[in-house]
Coordinates of all heavy atoms in Angstrom, one line a residue:
A15 N 76.3 102.2 75.1 CA 76.0 103.3 76.0 C 75.2 104.4 75.4 O 74.8 105.3 76.1 CB 77.3 103.8 76.6
I22 N 76.0 107.4 84.0 CA 77.5 107.3 84.0 C 78.0 107.5 85.4 O 77.5 108.4 86.1 CB 78.1 108.4 83.0 CG1 77.6 108.1 81.6 CG2 79.6 108.4 83.1 CD1 78.1 109.2 80.6
G31 N 90.7 105.6 103.8 CA 90.0 106.4 104.8 C 89.9 107.9 104.6 O 90.4 108.4 103.6
V43 N 81.7 117.1 80.4 CA 80.9 117.5 79.2 C 80.6 116.2 78.4 O 81.5 115.3 78.2 CB 81.7 118.4 78.3 CG1 80.9 118.7 77.0 CG2 82.1 119.7 79.0
T64 N 69.0 122.8 73.3 CA 69.9 122.8 72.1 C 69.0 122.6 70.9 O 68.2 121.7 70.8 CB 70.8 121.6 72.3 OG1 71.7 121.8 73.4 CG2 71.7 121.4 71.0
T92 N 55.7 132.9 49.7 CA 54.7 133.4 50.6 C 53.3 132.9 50.3 O 52.9 133.1 49.2 CB 54.7 135.0 50.6 OG1 56.1 135.5 50.9 CG2 53.8 135.6 51.6
P93 N 52.7 132.3 51.3 CA 51.3 131.7 51.0 C 50.4 132.8 50.6 O 50.5 134.0 50.9 CB 50.9 131.1 52.4 CG 52.2 130.8 53.1 CD 53.1 131.9 52.6
D94 N 49.4 132.4 49.8 CA 48.3 133.4 49.3 C 47.6 134.1 50.5 O 47.2 135.2 50.3 CB 47.3 132.6 48.5 CG 47.9 132.1 47.2 OD1 49.0 132.5 46.8 OD2 47.2 131.3 46.5
T111 N 49.9 123.9 47.2 CA 48.7 124.3 46.4 C 48.6 123.6 45.1 O 47.6 123.8 44.4 CB 48.7 125.9 46.2 OG1 47.5 126.3 45.6 CG2 49.9 126.3 45.4
N124 N 70.1 113.2 62.4 CA 70.6 112.6 63.7 C 69.7 113.2 64.8 O 69.9 114.3 65.2 CB 72.1 112.9 63.9 CG 72.6 112.2 65.1 OD1 71.9 111.8 66.0 ND2 73.9 112.0 65.1
L125 N 68.7 112.4 65.2 CA 67.8 112.9 66.3 C 68.1 112.1 67.6 O 67.2 112.0 68.5 CB 66.4 112.7 65.9 CG 65.9 113.4 64.6 CD1 64.4 113.2 64.4 CD2 66.2 114.9 64.7
A138 N 44.2 125.7 55.6 CA 43.2 126.8 55.3 C 41.8 126.5 55.8 O 41.3 125.4 55.6 CB 43.2 127.1 53.8
A143 N 42.3 133.5 53.4 CA 42.5 133.9 52.0 C 42.9 132.7 51.2 O 42.8 132.8 49.9 CB 43.4 135.1 51.9
V182 N 53.0 124.2 66.7 CA 52.7 122.8 67.2 C 54.0 122.2 67.7 O 55.1 122.3 67.1 CB 52.2 121.9 66.1 CG1 52.1 120.4 66.5 CG2 50.9 122.4 65.5
A190 N 62.0 107.1 67.5 CA 62.5 108.1 66.5 C 63.8 108.7 66.8 O 64.4 109.4 66.0 CB 61.4 109.2 66.2
T195 N 67.0 109.4 61.1 CA 65.6 109.5 61.1 C 65.1 110.5 60.1 O 65.6 111.6 60.1 CB 65.1 109.9 62.5 OG1 65.5 109.0 63.5 CG2 63.6 110.0 62.5
W199 N 56.0 115.6 56.5 CA 54.7 116.2 56.6 C 54.0 115.9 55.3 O 54.4 116.3 54.2 CB 54.8 117.7 56.8 CG 55.4 118.2 58.2 CD1 54.6 118.7 59.2 CD2 56.7 118.2 58.6 NE1 55.5 119.0 60.2 CE2 56.8 118.7 59.9 CE3 57.9 117.8 58.0 CZ2 58.0 118.8 60.6 CZ3 59.1 117.9 58.7 CH2 59.1 118.4 60.0
R200 N 52.8 115.3 55.4 CA 52.1 114.9 54.2 C 50.6 115.1 54.3 O 50.0 114.7 55.4 CB 52.4 113.4 54.0 CG 51.7 112.7 52.8 CD 52.1 111.3 52.6 NE 51.9 110.5 53.8 CZ 50.8 109.7 54.0 NH1 49.8 109.8 53.1 NH2 50.7 109.0 55.1
S203 N 44.9 113.9 51.5 CA 44.2 114.1 50.2 C 44.0 115.5 49.9 O 44.1 116.4 50.7 CB 42.8 113.4 50.3 OG 42.0 114.1 51.2
G206 N 42.9 119.0 44.2 CA 43.5 119.5 43.0 C 44.1 120.9 43.2 O 44.2 121.5 44.3
E211 N 44.4 124.1 50.5 CA 45.8 124.6 50.7 C 46.2 124.5 52.1 O 45.4 124.7 53.0 CB 45.9 126.0 50.1 CG 45.6 126.1 48.6 CD 45.6 127.5 48.1 OE1 45.1 128.4 48.8 OE2 46.0 127.7 46.9

Side-chain angles (χ1 to χ4, degrees):
I22 299 175
V43 178
T64 297
T92 299
D94 294 347
T111 185
N124 188 338
L125 301 184
V182 176
T195 302
W199 289 255
R200 178 174 59 92
S203 69
E211 296 172 324

